[in-house]
Amino acid sequence: MNIRRAKITDAAEIAKVHVKSWQQSYKGLVDDDYLSQMSVTEREQRWSEWLVQKSHIVLVLEDENHHLCGFISGGSIRSQHQYESEIYAFYLEKTVQQKGHGTRMLKAFCKELTSIGKKSMIVWVLKENPSKQAYISTGGKKIDEEQITIGKQHLFEECFAWDDITYILTTSTEQTT
């Protein structure tokens, strides 16, 4: 499995991973109607715009056949919290979860952030999402919670933060997979 910077030509595959991972990972958390109506075409349009702007870091995970099976994106913080950066989206297809690839991607992302002088970071995650454990195991501390609306459903998101993301870079992969 290879982690690399996303290219503009990756927009369609990132969109497929985005939709597929939501449908796989959020089944039972998010209304089935909302999940079934997610549009790869709409996501591809958004990803094409974001990748052209180059306003944030996007890394992809690809298998030996160069098929994308995960991505992480982020950059400058979008909220009023005191941290410098934020993970905007981080999704892996179910088939590659729980194998250490997410931790490798998180470390690669943090390495990119530190290379541009960023030292702290947040991520928002659905409260009921079991994947949030990965953030806790890499030193993320819950600092906030808010209610959001997805479709017609009201859910809660939690915000996890790292005062110093170099902790993630020094954490053993075996501890966090």
Side-chain angles (χ1 to χ4, degrees):
M1 295 291 223
N2 181 45
I3 298 170
R4 63 169 173 80
R5 278 272 196 161
K7 300 177 279 194
I8 294 168
T9 55
D10 292 324
E13 278 200 80
I14 292 172
K16 288 176 190 169
V17 170
H18 200 162
V19 170
K20 185 176 181 180
S21 64
W22 263 67
Q23 291 170 337
Q24 293 173 336
S25 299
Y26 293 156
K27 187 166 182 61
L29 297 177
V30 174
D31 285 333
D32 287 342
D33 287 344
Y34 181 86
L35 293 175
S36 67
Q37 293 175 17
M38 290 184 74
S39 165
V40 172
T41 304
E42 178 187 316
R43 296 281 173 191
E44 182 179 354
Q45 174 71 32
R46 288 186 191 171
W47 279 107
S48 293
E49 292 168 6
W50 291 331
L51 291 170
V52 167
Q53 293 171 3
K54 298 182 182 181
S55 59
H56 55 277
I57 298 164
V58 183
L59 301 177
V60 295
L61 177 69
E62 62 183 1
D63 65 18
E64 58 280 350
N65 298 316
H66 306 288
H67 168 77
L68 296 192
C69 42
F71 70 91
I72 186 170
S73 73
S76 295
I77 192 162
R78 301 175 293 185
S79 69
Q80 299 303 315
H81 291 90
Q82 65 191 24
Y83 299 86
E84 297 171 304
S85 53
E86 178 177 355
I87 296 172
Y88 305 150
F90 188 6
Y91 296 105
L92 299 173
E93 290 182 354
K94 206 72 154 164
T95 57
V96 297
Q97 292 178 7
Q98 301 295 315
K99 297 181 180 175
H101 303 302
T103 301
R104 286 182 48 237
M105 291 190 75
L106 184 61
K107 286 183 177 202
F109 181 75
C110 289
K111 192 172 182 178
E112 293 276 341
L113 288 175
T114 59
S115 76
I116 57 171
K118 304 286 187 186
K119 295 183 174 97
S120 61
M121 175 178 75
I122 67 166
V123 64
W124 287 93
V125 60
L126 286 177
K127 186 174 186 172
E128 301 301 320
N129 185 345
S131 296
K132 73 181 181 184
Q133 191 57 43
Y135 301 123
I136 296 167
S137 69
T138 56
K141 305 288 184 224
K142 182 181 171 185
I143 62 161
D144 201 358
E145 183 174 308
E146 69 181 18
Q147 187 176 35
I148 61 165
T149 302
I150 297 178
K152 297 177 184 172
Q153 191 176 13
H154 299 292
L155 300 166
F156 283 92
E157 274 189 322
E158 294 176 322
C159 183
F160 290 89
W162 294 262
D163 292 324
D164 181 0
I165 58 175
T166 59
Y167 178 81
I168 294 170
L169 296 172
T170 60
T171 304
S172 169
T173 303
E174 291 77 33
Q175 294 173 332
T176 58
T177 54

